[in-house]
Amino acid sequence: MAATAEKAPPVSRLVDEKVVVLDFGSQYAQLIARRVREQQVFCEIVRHDITAERLREINPKGIILSGGPSSVYEKGAPKCDGGLFHLGIPVLGICYGMQLACDSLGGKVESAPAREYGRAQIKVTGAGSELFQGVPAEMEVWMSHGDQVARVAGDFQPLAATGTCPIAAVRHATLPIFGLQFHPEVTHTPLGKQILGNFLKRICGCAGTWKIEDFARETIERLRTQIGSKRVICGLSGGVDSSVVAALLSRAIGEQLSCILVDNGLLRKDEEATVIREFSGHFKTDLHVVKAEDRFLQRLAGITDPQEKRRRIGHTFIDCFSDEAAKIKDAEFLAQGTLYPDVIESGAAADGPAATIKLHHNVGGLPDDLQFKLIEPLRDLFKDEVRALGTELGLPEEIVWRHPFPGPGLAVRCLGEITRPRLDKLREADAIVVGEIKTAGLYRETSQAFAVLLPVQSVGVMGDARTYEEAIAVRCVNTEDFMTADWSRLPYDLLARISTRIINEVKGVNRVVYDISSKPPATIEWE
């Protein structure tokens, strides 16, 4: 029998007020939802072609139409059900969403004579509009469009303009419909949060009652009802997602929770000890540690191809996890740390975007003969909300703010052949990188920082002897969504300390380089 998702009430039914984002393919759709939640208003992303009748059933306090890469006048361009504009629910169109609203209600959208990409200055012309309450008449915004509204129907009133875009914001005279040609959700629009807040609070009437403490309390009660007296298995990786799931379940069902940690020999320094300390000591969990380093290293011996490494690690993990799970009697549920972006990108949400971008299984794609019902208590949360929940549940900062770690572990940061000595070398270098960044007080200001062991040897001089040893690359990035990332501008003296310590303390390394590539074109990880 295949592992199946246990049916449980989505958290959206437990909130008093919510806003929905219709996704037209925007790279910022998830960011819009996050910005709304930052204002303590629950937000969900739904299909762009969701029916007006379904929206009436959901009964959101507001509707936001996202941007998108299409042109509204193109054949096959994504459209929305025009009936949503007549539900009496406030609507905010952003970029393509504004163009679509204006086009649907009698306006004209054309290719702009001067495209706008990047920062622009807008002048608010619609004095007194609730959308621009409390913001200056002129401000900096972020534009990203080739089309623009050339003409609006008589019922629309322009609210703002730039030097090349005479209709940069609009509102309908009689319907609660608003539009912004710029992107208020990005940090490059400094007052975007306030503008979104005006839409949510002044126009939609949201009180801002969505709090992570309420989510924790309601979810714990829901899990107790859902699970009853049955046993749950949770796979622990040392990362924040699985740790928060385990902590949440520990609060909900106590001794009915069994956790499995597969020590594959590819973990960061002291990671296993940290997990054991928290989940066998603090949370008193039934923790099963599978010592499988030798098994993984045997499967990886002589393998240098990145995809083959991933494949072998995935299969070996499944074997180890399945063997240990079979020893836990009367287990009926399997808990996973699936997050809201995973649900949206996999197309698994009932009203979510239609396109499937990726398939996701937090525990590595479990085999069909694992007879468990899946429970995913974090499936409505973004990463920052998961961290807040972890803090609420009493997890230590060391776990809550731990940087993301790839599923295959250090294998994707140990380029070339995987051996125990090379992994130990990488582990020590990585610990120095992270430790120095923490000491400098910059760990929480960076999104991901780690070391990479390169299969490149270079000549060096240490003491009076020439050396021919391996190189370590240091990678440190800043990002909000991990879809794009920029390299971190760490202080030179910090980089110097990291380099000096690695070369002095890690035997077999005589050169350290700093990766200054952004994503795109590079990726965050090296393999």
Side-chain angles (χ1 to χ4, degrees):
M1 182 183 77
T4 57
E6 173 73 359
K7 298 298 183 183
V11 71
S12 56
R13 296 185 194 170
L14 304 175
V15 297
D16 297 326
E17 54 186 26
K18 55 182 169 287
V19 167
V20 297
V21 175
L22 272 62
D23 184 6
F24 292 92
S26 171
Q27 62 178 318
Y28 299 134
Q30 292 184 21
L31 187 55
I32 296 171
R34 287 181 57 197
R35 292 290 181 255
V36 172
R37 291 194 189 185
E38 286 173 2
Q39 310 250 0
Q40 296 185 320
V41 176
F42 188 77
C43 186
E44 294 179 301
I45 300 174
V46 300
R47 298 167 60 105
H48 69 271
D49 57 355
I50 189 172
T51 66
E53 184 57 35
R54 176 60 182 145
L55 284 170
R56 192 192 306 275
E57 293 173 4
I58 295 172
N59 192 30
K61 298 280 283 186
I63 299 169
I64 299 177
L65 310 181
S66 83
S70 302
S71 296
V72 298
Y73 49 78
E74 290 177 347
K75 184 179 180 180
K79 299 294 177 68
C80 62
D81 184 340
L84 70 83
F85 296 113
H86 302 283
L87 292 174
I89 300 171
V91 176
L92 175 65
I94 296 176
C95 197
Y96 179 87
M98 167 178 154
Q99 297 164 14
L100 182 61
C102 291
D103 179 75
S104 299
L105 296 171
K108 181 70 173 177
V109 177
E110 296 177 349
S111 178
R115 300 185 176 193
E116 286 185 306
Y117 294 101
R119 289 178 173 84
Q121 290 289 324
I122 68 162
K123 183 175 183 179
V124 178
T125 57
S129 170
E130 310 99 303
L131 200 57
F132 292 108
Q133 283 290 312
V135 300
E138 294 190 25
M139 72 188 104
E140 185 177 271
V141 298
W142 183 263
M143 292 284 195
S144 181
H145 66 99
D147 297 337
Q148 64 186 36
V149 176
R151 185 180 70 253
V152 293
D155 288 333
F156 274 98
Q157 172 191 358
L159 297 178
T162 72
T164 58
C165 182
I167 307 177
V170 295
R171 73 156 298 163
H172 196 278
T174 59
L175 300 174
I177 299 171
F178 299 78
L180 300 171
Q181 184 58 67
F182 59 90
H183 289 271
E185 70 274 20
V186 302
T187 55
H188 303 306
T189 300
L191 296 176
K193 183 181 294 187
Q194 188 168 345
I195 295 169
L196 274 177
N198 285 338
F199 175 71
L200 297 170
K201 307 289 176 64
R202 297 176 181 273
I203 297 170
C204 299
C206 294
T209 57
W210 165 246
K211 295 181 175 65
I212 204 66
E213 308 95 89
D214 297 333
F215 173 87
R217 184 180 62 256
E218 292 162 352
T219 303
I220 287 170
E221 290 302 317
R222 178 165 55 89
L223 287 169
R224 285 174 181 157
T225 301
Q226 180 184 1
I227 295 165
S229 60
K230 304 297 183 181
R231 179 160 293 278
V232 179
I233 293 176
C234 177
L236 280 174
S237 67
V240 62
D241 301 338
S242 65
S243 296
V244 171
V245 169
L248 194 63
L249 285 164
S250 178
R251 287 282 187 90
I253 60 173
E255 295 180 355
Q256 295 166 233
L257 174 65
S258 294
C259 294
I260 298 176
L261 171 65
V262 177
D263 180 5
N264 55 14
L266 305 171
L267 301 176
R268 290 170 282 199
K269 186 176 181 180
D270 298 330
E271 194 151 41
E272 178 190 355
T274 300
V275 172
I276 292 173
R277 182 174 64 250
E278 287 303 319
F279 289 95
S280 63
H282 182 77
F283 286 99
K284 307 296 184 185
T285 303
D286 174 35
L287 179 61
H288 299 240
V289 179
V290 182
K291 296 287 189 178
E293 180 180 15
D294 291 342
R295 191 170 177 180
F296 276 84
L297 291 181
Q298 288 170 7
R299 294 295 309 276
L300 290 169
I303 304 300
T304 59
D305 178 72
Q307 290 306 323
E308 182 62 16
K309 285 181 187 177
R310 290 177 179 270
R311 189 187 71 81
R312 292 189 178 215
I313 291 168
H315 287 175
T316 308
F317 175 85
I318 290 170
D319 291 342
C320 293
F321 191 93
S322 302
D323 290 347
E324 193 63 27
K327 302 175 185 177
I328 301 173
K329 303 303 180 184
D330 302 322
E332 187 169 314
F333 295 92
L334 175 67
Q336 292 196 139
T338 306
L339 304 190
Y340 192 50
D342 303 321
V343 175
I344 292 301
E345 292 172 5
S346 67
D351 296 303
T356 297
I357 300 171
K358 69 177 181 180
L359 295 177
H360 176 81
H361 261 304
N362 267 35
V363 293
L366 294 172
D368 289 342
D369 58 356
L370 274 184
Q371 300 186 22
F372 297 117
K373 298 173 185 176
L374 294 180
I375 52 176
E376 299 169 317
L378 307 183
R379 63 183 283 117
D380 287 296
L381 300 185
F382 287 103
K383 191 76 165 188
D384 54 334
E385 294 167 332
V386 173
R387 294 190 194 279
L389 178 58
T391 300
E392 176 70 18
L393 294 170
L395 280 171
E397 184 172 312
E398 181 182 3
I399 289 180
V400 170
W401 289 99
R402 179 165 289 173
H403 286 176
F405 192 54
L410 293 179
V412 297
R413 297 175 180 173
C414 185
L415 278 59
E417 187 176 3
I418 304 294
T419 64
R420 187 176 280 106
R422 296 194 77 227
L423 287 169
D424 289 342
K425 190 183 303 184
L426 174 57
R427 231 182 309 269
E428 291 301 321
D430 184 75
I432 290 171
V433 172
V434 173
E436 285 293 341
I437 290 174
K438 286 181 176 179
T439 299
L442 296 175
Y443 188 72
R444 296 223 349 219
E445 293 183 23
T446 59
S447 304
Q448 203 163 351
F450 55 90
V452 181
L453 181 61
L454 307 181
V456 175
Q457 291 180 302
S458 64
V459 174
V461 177
M462 301 180 77
D464 294 323
R466 287 170 63 85
T467 61
Y468 192 59
E469 296 175 334
E470 290 183 299
I472 285 285
V474 175
R475 181 70 159 147
C476 187
V477 299
N478 293 343
T479 179
E480 285 196 344
D481 53 21
F482 290 91
M483 293 186 288
T484 62
D486 195 14
W487 60 279
S488 303
R489 273 62 170 178
L490 296 181
Y492 288 151
D493 58 345
L494 172 57
L495 291 173
R497 284 197 303 274
I498 289 172
S499 176
T500 300
R501 283 197 59 197
I502 290 175
I503 292 174
N504 287 346
E505 298 175 29
V506 182
K507 188 175 181 180
V509 174
N510 67 355
R511 191 175 297 271
V512 174
V513 298
Y514 189 52
D515 184 347
I516 59 170
S517 310
S518 295
K519 176 189 179 182
T523 56
I524 295 177
E525 298 289 346
W526 276 52
E527 280 195 346

